Structures are given as structure tokens and as C-alpha cells.
Amino acid sequence: MIEQVTVVANPSYPLEGILTLPDTHTEKVPAVVFVHGSGALDKDETIGANKLFRDLADGLAKKGIASLRYDKRTCTYGKQLIQEFGGSLTVEEEIIHDALFASRMLKADPRVDANRVFMIGHSQGGMLAPRIDAEGGDFAGLVILAGTLRTLDEVIIEQNEDSLKQLDESQREMASQQIKALKDKFDSIADMSEEIAKQSLLLGSVYAWYLKEMQQHPNKEYLIKTNKPVFVLQGDKDVQVSVEKDFNQYQQILKDHPNASCKLYPGLNHMFMKAIYGTLKDIWEEYNVPQTVDGTVIEDVAKWILSV
């Protein structure tokens, strides 16, 4: 069963959302809030021809789990956000405030078990999951899909360096210089004052303060401190995060956590669908092939939520 809802963490930025409920339920059900990865993404987290959040919402509903997904603030109000916040925009205004409001919405719904509201964060949403929980999400547990504990600038540089290896030799020299220039920009952030960071444009519409603010809230520290149940999932053919630098780091930090699980899925990409090309160079071509989320992933997430 699907209901159209509106997420209004800020009256200036109402967001269209979908509440998906199991078709049959006689008692209060567990529920999840979906939190997007980077970019101006819609409620389904549509990337190319694929819709990760829609697939998960539909699959979880069949297992008796409700969910709330909504358009990301930058998807609906990209220009307005830049006009209002400019260089002072952070993940608080872009992502966190809406996730916290969505959590409260679900907990207030009489059909939902308020003690069993979970968060499923994908990519940047997974990266921020422990921080969102600590800032008031107060979730029953965190599902981290293809997240990272590294800083966003580290991941961007690594993705660029990986792309460099796949270029023709003729293109490599110029691209290498561009990456070095970007790395120098990122390295300069640490010495910037907050005021300067809010005035320094790095790439596209991203200002230095956006990255510096995240660096001041290390995701690793939030994860180390959490006592919430955590489930970390990643595809081993994911070219946007790394098994060695990301998945293995989650495993290491969570090894003594009493209620944490980590699972690596063979052959799956960043969208938890079958990897076709397996290279960053061809990633958009891959995402433009219509697929659905691997059934084992949906099964595992549902089982984990119902067992917590």
C-alpha cells in the first residue's frame, strides 16, 4: 500500500515523499527511513535507468516492513538552496534535517512501531548514518549500503585517480594535472578559516565549507561510539567505494561491536545490482541498463531488521 506524503523539516522546502506499507498487517510494523547518496536524487534514488530505493521499499513491504522515501532537498530546490545558503550550505541543510524529520514522522504514525524505526543510508547517506542517528534520529538500527568512513574529498580523489588509469595515454597527462590541482585545493581546506571556506568554490557549486564541516564531524568517531545494531553491505564490484579501504574498515571498527554484521556481495555494483562493466569509466553506461536490486540483498536486509 502506497501513500503520498510530504516531509516538511523546513517550511521553505516541503518534499514529496512516499510511505509504503505492507498490504496486510494486524499490528504495528517496523519501518525504515531511506537516506540518499550524493547528488540531486529523487525519492526512488533514480540513477540512470535504475531505482534503488523503490526496489528496496517494494521488497521490504512484502516482508512486512514499512518505509518512507522522499525527494532530496537538492533535487527539488537546488537553485533555491544555493541562493539561500551559498557557501554556508552543509549536509545539515542538504540531508540531515530531512532525515531527522522523516524519522519523527514514522514514529508518530499509529501503524508503525515507534521503537522499531531503522535507517537505510546509501553511499553518502550510509556514510552519514551514525551522525544522523547521534543528532536525534535515534533509530533502532542502521543499515549502511556502500558507505565509507573516509572523507568525501578522499573518495573523490581516489575515484579520479581510478578513472585516470583507464584513460588513453594522450589524455592522461592533462587529466593528471587536473587531479593534482583538485588535490591541492582539497589539501588547502584544513588551513582555511570558516569564513574563507564559505567563500571558496571548489568544484561545480561545492564550497570548501561543505567539506570542512564534514571533516569536523568524523563519521568514524560516530560509528565507534554507537551502541546501535549496525548492518554494513557492499558489492565487491563497486567501483565508487573500495573493499579494501571502506568495507574492510567497517569490519575492523565493528569487530567487537555486540550487534554488528558486515556482508560483501559477489558481482554487485554500487546500486546492489549486477555489475556489467565493472569500471568507473563505463559506470553511466552500466547504470543506464535497466536492472533491479539483487533479491538476496532485500532478503538479508529484511531478515536483519526483523531479527533486531
Side-chain angles (χ1 to χ4, degrees):
M1 185 168 72
I2 285 175
E3 292 179 8
Q4 305 296 325
V5 297
T6 308
V7 173
V8 195
N10 181 325
S12 301
Y13 302 106
L15 302 171
E16 289 182 8
I18 293 176
L19 175 63
T20 306
L21 291 153
D23 286 335
T24 54
H25 56 91
T26 53
E27 52 191 33
K28 294 189 176 197
V29 295
V32 302
V33 172
F34 288 109
V35 181
H36 317 74
S38 55
L41 296 163
D42 67 13
K43 60 182 75 64
D44 292 331
E45 210 188 36
T46 304
I47 299 177
N50 299 296
K51 298 176 182 288
L52 173 62
F53 286 174
R54 181 205 61 189
D55 291 354
L56 286 169
D58 292 348
L60 293 175
K62 291 183 176 78
K63 306 287 185 184
I65 299 163
S67 64
L68 176 57
R69 64 193 197 271
Y70 49 89
D71 294 331
K72 195 173 176 182
R73 209 180 278 198
T74 43
C75 177
T76 313
Y77 302 104
K79 286 181 183 170
Q80 278 175 249
L81 283 167
I82 291 165
Q83 284 167 358
E84 182 178 349
F85 294 100
S88 66
L89 182 73
T90 71
V91 289
E92 289 283 352
E93 299 83 20
E94 184 197 20
I95 297 169
I96 296 176
H97 293 167
D98 297 317
L100 297 179
F101 186 86
S103 165
R104 293 196 294 273
M105 270 181 77
L106 278 180
K107 289 177 181 180
D109 192 305
R111 297 161 296 184
V112 168
D113 182 344
N115 296 314
R116 297 177 75 205
V117 172
F118 296 79
M119 175 183 159
I120 296 181
H122 177 236
S123 198
Q124 189 181 11
M127 172 196 213
L128 292 169
R131 175 177 172 181
I132 294 169
D133 182 63
E135 288 194 12
D138 193 23
F139 294 100
L142 307 173
V143 178
I144 297 172
L145 303 175
T148 179
L149 292 167
R150 292 181 288 159
T151 59
L152 198 55
D153 44 295
E154 281 178 87
V155 176
I156 291 168
I157 292 297
E158 178 166 274
Q159 287 179 0
N160 275 277
E161 287 173 345
D162 282 350
S163 296
L164 185 67
K165 294 170 195 166
Q166 293 153 28
L167 293 176
D168 297 335
E169 207 165 318
S170 58
Q171 302 169 297
R172 216 173 282 172
E173 180 58 34
M174 186 186 288
S176 181
Q177 288 171 7
Q178 289 169 340
I179 293 168
K180 186 185 182 305
L182 184 60
K183 192 170 187 304
D184 289 344
K185 276 187 183 180
F186 286 161
D187 288 345
S188 70
I189 293 172
D191 297 324
M192 286 182 190
S193 68
E194 182 176 328
E195 189 182 348
I196 296 296
K198 287 178 177 177
Q199 294 166 11
S200 303
L201 195 60
L202 292 177
L203 64 164
S205 58
V206 178
Y207 284 80
W209 177 242
Y210 183 86
L211 296 176
K212 189 175 180 71
E213 191 274 347
M214 271 196 285
Q215 290 170 5
Q216 291 174 354
H217 295 84
N219 299 301
K220 196 184 296 186
E221 298 307 312
Y222 287 105
L223 186 69
I224 288 166
K225 288 174 186 167
T226 190
N227 57 4
K228 298 289 178 71
V230 181
F231 185 21
V232 177
L233 300 79
Q234 189 176 311
D236 76 347
K237 299 295 183 204
D238 190 332
V239 293
Q240 290 174 256
V241 290
S242 153
V243 173
E244 180 194 349
K245 294 178 182 173
D246 297 308
F247 183 78
N248 289 352
Q249 194 178 14
Y250 278 112
Q251 279 196 310
Q252 179 61 29
I253 285 174
L254 293 168
K255 68 180 193 301
D256 297 322
H257 189 294
N259 197 352
S261 306
C262 299
K263 185 168 179 181
L264 196 61
Y265 292 81
L268 299 188
N269 65 19
H270 196 60
M271 295 281 283
F272 292 86
M273 298 170 187
K274 186 183 175 188
I276 299 166
Y277 301 107
T279 61
L280 207 51
K281 177 171 67 77
D282 300 309
I283 199 66
W284 280 105
E285 207 171 321
E286 179 162 309
Y287 290 159
N288 280 318
V289 177
Q291 296 198 74
T292 53
V293 171
D294 185 90
T296 310
V297 171
I298 295 171
E299 186 79 32
D300 289 349
V301 170
K303 262 188 199 167
W304 185 83
I305 287 171
L306 294 172
S307 71
V308 171

